Amino acid sequence: MSRPLQAATLAVRTGIESDPAQGAVVPPIYLSTNYAFKGFDQKRDFDYSRSGNPTRSVLAEAMTKLEGGCDSVITNTGMSAVNLVTALLNPGDLLIAPHDCYGGSYRLFDSLAKKGAFEVVFIDQSNESELQKALERNPRLVWLETPSNPLLRIVDVQKICSMAKSVGALIAVDNTFLSPALQQPLLLGADIVVHSATKYLNGHSDVVAGVVVSKDPELAEKLSWWANCLGLTGGAFDSYLILRGLRTLNVRMRTHQENALQLAHYLTDNPWVSHVYYPGLESDPGHQLAKKQQAGFGGMLSFELAMDLDQMKLLLASLELFSLAESLGGVESLVCHPATMTHAAMSEEALENAGVSQRLIRLSVGLEDGHDLVADLAQAFARIA
Ligand SMILES: *Cc1c(COP(=O)(O)O)cnc(C)c1O
């Protein structure tokens, strides 16, 4: 075929009809931990499932294609994917990370730095002079996460990559919030992409896993060596489920964001809501940048309530189609109160700095009918006196 296959096709077709034993259309699950040698000193493609597993390999191949990389490591959690990337750092190396990165990543970077594994500075990466000053310290690695959680702030990946490249730093992007269907950081200049596959990649809230995709073979080799050495690689059954989720990634992302935009418009017009954070709204400060570097605006949105805390609790308790739960990216809609849930470990001051107020609500908009979701919000707001 002359033209390169599109992402939706790659997500559906990778590994299909690749089984030499039975011609299974869907790649089978290899649960075996070990693989017999053909004979003395004659290893097959796989020997031991921590080091390599055929089912995990198909998922890795699909993720590599979708992100436009050269190889991927599938890890047992999103956090072990983040952890794996830090294995590239030596004592004395500097990591620059966003002050509003995922809480678990913040905790990991901070804790490893306190043990002397490397040094870390957390900065506001949208502030160019702050970023420039940090880059003058010659970091080994710059960590990006865009859109941020929970305020959906967008930073310019291409610009930061070229600034970081000029001082010889590696760039890793946590692409969990958008998935490769909506953002491909390697094509914008990054070296490494990290995912919590727990979220949109699997998409059905029934697997915890992660992915690290590398742009070049040398990095890929190092990361897969460390993944095996540290024992961070993902399980075969999990890989099978994520691959099954990945088949529908593109259609899911499309509906997630259609619904999110519908809810964002409804909330913008709601007198109980003082602010809506969604880059898909033209009024959002990240809108133009998101349009430039993303293929869509995603399914996450946050909003600020203009009501007292008792009214807020009644609102949350009245919702029927949004489960009060952490995590995101599943087919089911979720509502989260970041200050007491996902961001509870942060001090009051840190919450304030990050703009996470007690009246901030985050939605992971699911794949239910969009009008049903709006109607559910409307009936819950109608109960507030
Ligand atoms: C959930 C999440 C992680 C951590 O992934 P787990 O699968 O929970 O270990 C990392 N980054 C982001 C942006 C996340 O949302």
Side-chain angles (χ1 to χ4, degrees):
M1 220 174 288
S2 55
R3 112 192 155 87
L5 294 175
Q6 299 299 299
T9 311
L10 295 171
V12 171
R13 294 294 315 182
T14 301
I16 293 289
E17 229 187 291
S18 63
D19 165 41
Q22 305 293 345
V25 170
V26 170
I29 313 181
Y30 286 87
L31 292 172
S32 187
T33 47
N34 45 1
Y35 305 83
F37 280 56
K38 276 186 251 171
F40 181 78
D41 204 20
Q42 283 183 283
K43 191 167 102 76
R44 295 177 203 262
D45 291 344
F46 299 95
D47 56 4
Y48 185 57
S49 275
R50 167 160 41 76
S51 322
N53 171 280
T55 312
R56 198 164 70 223
S57 278
V58 181
L59 173 60
E61 186 191 340
M63 281 308 300
T64 301
K65 287 180 182 167
L66 291 177
E67 288 287 5
C70 92
D71 203 2
S72 301
V73 176
I74 307 302
T75 58
N76 51 11
T77 67
M79 281 319 302
S80 57
V82 179
N83 190 17
L84 177 58
V85 178
T86 68
L88 298 171
L89 298 172
N90 294 316
D93 283 349
L94 177 65
L95 163 66
I96 295 180
H99 68 148
D100 53 357
C101 66
Y102 176 71
S105 305
Y106 191 103
R107 180 175 58 189
L108 178 72
F109 297 155
D110 190 48
S111 307
L112 287 175
K114 281 187 179 132
K115 281 164 55 102
F118 50 80
E119 288 175 36
V120 65
V121 282
F122 295 99
I123 63 162
D124 176 359
Q125 293 176 337
S126 64
N127 179 331
E128 203 170 321
S129 68
E130 203 176 325
L131 178 65
Q132 194 60 55
K133 227 167 59 206
L135 289 174
E136 280 162 17
R137 293 178 58 189
N138 287 320
R140 172 84 183 106
L141 177 67
V142 177
W143 191 270
L144 303 186
E145 194 181 314
T146 177
S148 73
N149 179 17
L151 295 180
L152 290 311
R153 294 190 184 113
I154 312 278
V155 295
D156 191 330
V157 177
Q158 207 160 18
K159 186 157 127 198
I160 297 178
C161 285
S162 76
M163 286 169 79
K165 283 273 152 68
S166 71
V167 298
L170 287 171
I171 301 106
V173 179
D174 185 329
N175 202 25
T176 300
F177 262 46
L178 289 176
S179 91
L182 301 183
Q183 179 168 267
Q184 293 173 293
L186 298 182
L187 307 189
L188 297 169
D191 301 290
I192 297 167
V193 165
V194 170
H195 280 281
S196 167
T198 313
K199 317 293 168 53
Y200 287 107
L201 297 180
N202 179 60
H204 294 74
S205 304
D206 51 9
V207 176
V208 177
V211 184
V212 182
V213 192
S214 307
K215 182 145 83 180
D216 80 62
E218 198 188 320
L219 262 181
E221 173 69 34
K222 266 190 206 160
L223 288 165
S224 86
W225 188 89
W226 274 111
N228 179 50
C229 175
L230 294 166
L232 303 180
T233 49
F237 195 72
D238 289 351
S239 299
Y240 175 86
L241 285 174
I242 297 163
L243 190 60
R244 178 180 163 127
L246 213 55
R247 302 301 188 202
T248 56
L249 178 67
N250 285 64
V251 281
R252 280 190 287 112
M253 292 314 291
R254 213 177 299 147
T255 304
H256 278 301
Q257 67 179 9
E258 266 173 32
N259 284 351
L261 188 62
Q262 193 176 347
L263 293 194
H265 285 308
Y266 164 77
L267 291 165
T268 302
D269 293 338
N270 187 311
W272 289 110
V273 175
S274 57
H275 194 87
V276 179
Y277 299 92
Y278 186 63
L281 294 171
E282 276 173 37
S283 56
D284 192 274
H287 183 69
Q288 289 307 328
L289 190 51
K291 254 170 74 172
K292 189 182 86 165
Q293 70 185 15
Q294 301 174 195
F297 302 107
M300 298 299 298
L301 67 86
S302 295
F303 56 97
E304 188 77 30
L305 288 168
M307 59 176 66
D308 66 37
L309 293 183
D310 285 334
Q311 290 173 315
M312 179 183 82
K313 286 179 200 166
L314 175 61
L315 177 80
L316 293 177
S318 304
L319 290 168
E320 287 168 16
L321 297 181
F322 294 81
S323 302
L324 184 64
E326 298 189 4
S327 197
L328 59 109
V331 295
E332 75 291 352
S333 288
L334 302 175
V335 61
C336 163
H337 181 245
T340 56
M341 295 168 67
T342 48
H343 292 61
M346 287 167 76
S347 67
E348 229 165 275
E349 193 192 344
L351 284 174
E352 201 179 304
N353 283 340
V356 180
S357 83
Q358 289 297 326
R359 288 173 182 74
L360 184 79
I361 301 294
R362 188 190 80 177
L363 300 181
S364 171
V365 182
L367 302 183
E368 301 88 347
D369 181 86
H371 298 285
D372 284 348
L373 294 177
V374 168
D376 190 41
L377 282 172
Q379 67 77 22
F381 276 109
R383 297 189 55 183
I384 312 297

